Amino acid sequence: MRDADRAAALLNWYDTHAREMPWRVGPAARAEGVRPDPYHVWLSEIMLQQTTVAAVREYFRAFLTRWPTVAALAAAKDGEVMGAWAGLGYYARARNLLKCARVVVAEHGGTFPASHATLLKLPGIGPYTAGAIAAIAFDQRETVVDGNVERVMARLYDVHTPLPRAKAELTEHAAALTPAVRPGDYAQAVMDLGATICTPRNPACGICPWQAGCAARLAGTASDLPKKEPKAAKPVRFGYVYVAMRRDGAVLLERRPEKGLLGGMLGFPVSAWGEAPAEDPPLAADWRNPNAEVRHTFTHFHLRLALRLAIVSNKAKPARGSFVARAEFRPADLPTLMRKAYDLAAPALAGELSGNG
Ligand code: SF4
């Protein structure tokens, strides 16, 4: 099958099988001239980095309800946006999201630029996201290669070189296939194919629009591809997390440094983390050890934080962080690691405050 015929077959399939997504303009509307809002495309692409479509849907709707335009988002307070992002993880993305919105308003008059090169200069936008926005929002002929597309290309051309080494070769194949006609729909179609038909396990080759001429299907190797280099085991790091509550219910929180993991997020004070960290409580108190551990996995390591609890007087003066009144404390705005700590700590603290602990 020629590349042009292949692209046409996929677009035909997409016309009836496109997934519905709150940020997407489907093929029928697009054919009638409806264009996606670049703000929606950008917001969804940033949210989708490292996060599943299912997880992103609600966050996307909530953000649009609260900040319907990029100008509204640019004018938001940092803390509000970080709070609304809580749970999506990878908080550097949320900080860059705000920075990017502000640059778009300050330097581009509130309109996203259409060119890949200019998009790349915006905070938080790398080559993949720039390509996705240029293709989906502005219908430019950009090659967009995510994990789904890599898998489909590895199978279509029966590439056995393991990832990530195979990236360049798979990108070349993807680029050759990208059509000049409807490149925005095509970018979304190939992602949909990977997500719904050419799935990691048990690809549904029998109903695939690319089954004719798919090299892995002919060779019977589809389920073995793509090959991947074996992953190095993630190291485990240890530390302490300190949950202190005043008798009036106020909770001790500390804002993390801007740079680094959970940068700029509010959370409970922690010690340094490593192989054998020292305790580093944020105030002098009768710290209890409830023998509980908060476990969380980041991209490059597993973290285990031993929980420490304290009820302190209303006059307690912390060396780090500050007390947040009970009425203003919203556990839902905490990053996931800290919410896990709160969920472990809350019942014990409530018991102690009511005199049962
Ligand atoms: Fe994937 Fe099978 Fe389609 Fe080939 S025929 S692209 S392996 S679903």
Side-chain angles (χ1 to χ4, degrees):
M1 200 189 269
R2 289 185 315 130
D3 286 350
D5 295 337
R6 226 172 221 160
L10 184 64
L11 284 167
N12 270 342
W13 171 82
Y14 181 71
D15 286 342
T16 43
H17 295 91
R19 288 179 294 173
E20 282 193 14
M21 301 190 188
W23 49 86
R24 178 179 274 182
V25 171
R30 200 143 174 155
E32 285 168 10
V34 181
R35 288 285 165 257
D37 183 333
Y39 171 56
H40 297 184
V41 176
W42 164 75
L43 184 61
S44 66
E45 286 298 331
I46 302 294
M47 287 182 166
L48 285 165
Q49 291 168 1
Q50 320 263 358
T51 311
T52 63
V53 168
V56 164
R57 283 178 194 273
E58 285 313 309
Y59 281 89
F60 178 81
R61 288 203 184 95
F63 263 66
L64 273 200
T65 306
R66 220 158 150 188
W67 301 294
T69 62
V70 69
L73 181 62
K77 291 200 177 110
D78 291 33
E80 286 172 1
V81 175
M82 299 307 277
W85 189 273
L88 270 177
Y90 300 93
Y91 295 95
R93 288 186 294 157
R95 289 197 306 281
N96 278 330
L97 185 88
L98 252 181
K99 273 192 209 155
C100 182
R102 288 170 184 163
V103 172
V104 167
V105 169
E107 295 177 20
H108 299 276
T111 306
F112 275 88
S115 89
H116 186 275
T118 315
L119 284 163
L120 253 186
K121 291 186 188 144
L122 295 172
I125 297 189
Y128 168 79
T129 306
I133 297 170
I136 298 170
F138 299 107
D139 227 12
Q140 306 217 11
R141 185 170 181 257
E142 292 288 343
T143 305
V144 185
V145 183
D146 67 354
N148 281 323
V149 179
E150 282 174 350
R151 182 171 60 256
V152 176
M153 292 301 134
R155 289 172 175 173
L156 201 54
Y157 296 97
D158 201 30
V159 175
H160 287 245
T161 311
L163 281 166
R165 250 193 302 143
K167 267 182 188 293
E169 185 182 352
L170 300 177
T171 302
E172 256 177 55
H173 285 309
L177 272 178
T178 304
V181 181
R182 299 175 63 192
D185 279 349
Y186 175 84
Q188 297 174 91
V190 70
M191 285 178 201
D192 280 15
L193 186 78
T196 63
I197 303 267
C198 196
T199 47
R201 277 184 221 138
N202 302 322
C205 301
I207 52 168
C208 175
W210 279 351
Q211 58 178 273
C214 172
R217 178 171 182 254
L218 290 173
T221 53
S223 293
D224 304 331
L225 297 175
K227 302 267 191 215
K228 290 190 181 157
E229 308 271 19
K231 275 192 189 161
K234 286 185 189 183
V236 182
R237 295 184 190 161
F238 300 88
Y240 299 89
V241 56
Y242 299 94
V243 181
M245 190 178 271
R246 282 196 322 218
R247 298 227 158 260
D248 63 6
V251 178
L252 181 60
L253 296 178
E254 183 180 27
R255 193 168 293 284
R256 295 190 53 82
E258 280 298 319
K259 293 231 180 294
L261 280 172
L262 309 178
M265 299 296 291
L266 261 187
F268 302 109
V270 293
S271 67
W273 50 56
E275 277 180 26
E279 288 238 21
D280 184 18
L283 82 174
D286 176 18
W287 288 100
R288 308 279 173 89
N289 175 3
N291 287 320
E293 196 176 58
V294 183
R295 294 184 174 207
H296 193 71
T297 296
F298 290 103
T299 316
H300 299 297
F301 65 96
H302 301 291
L303 181 62
R304 295 189 189 170
L305 296 179
L307 186 63
R308 296 289 184 264
L309 302 175
I311 300 286
V312 299
S313 94
N314 294 347
K315 293 184 182 150
K317 294 258 179 296
R320 310 195 319 258
S322 49
F323 281 96
V324 173
R326 188 76 192 89
E328 284 159 31
F329 173 58
R330 286 170 38 97
D333 284 356
L334 294 172
T336 308
L337 167 71
M338 296 298 174
R339 218 168 45 238
K340 287 180 184 173
Y342 180 74
D343 290 345
L344 274 178
L349 289 173
E352 290 213 21
L353 271 182
S354 65
N356 301 329

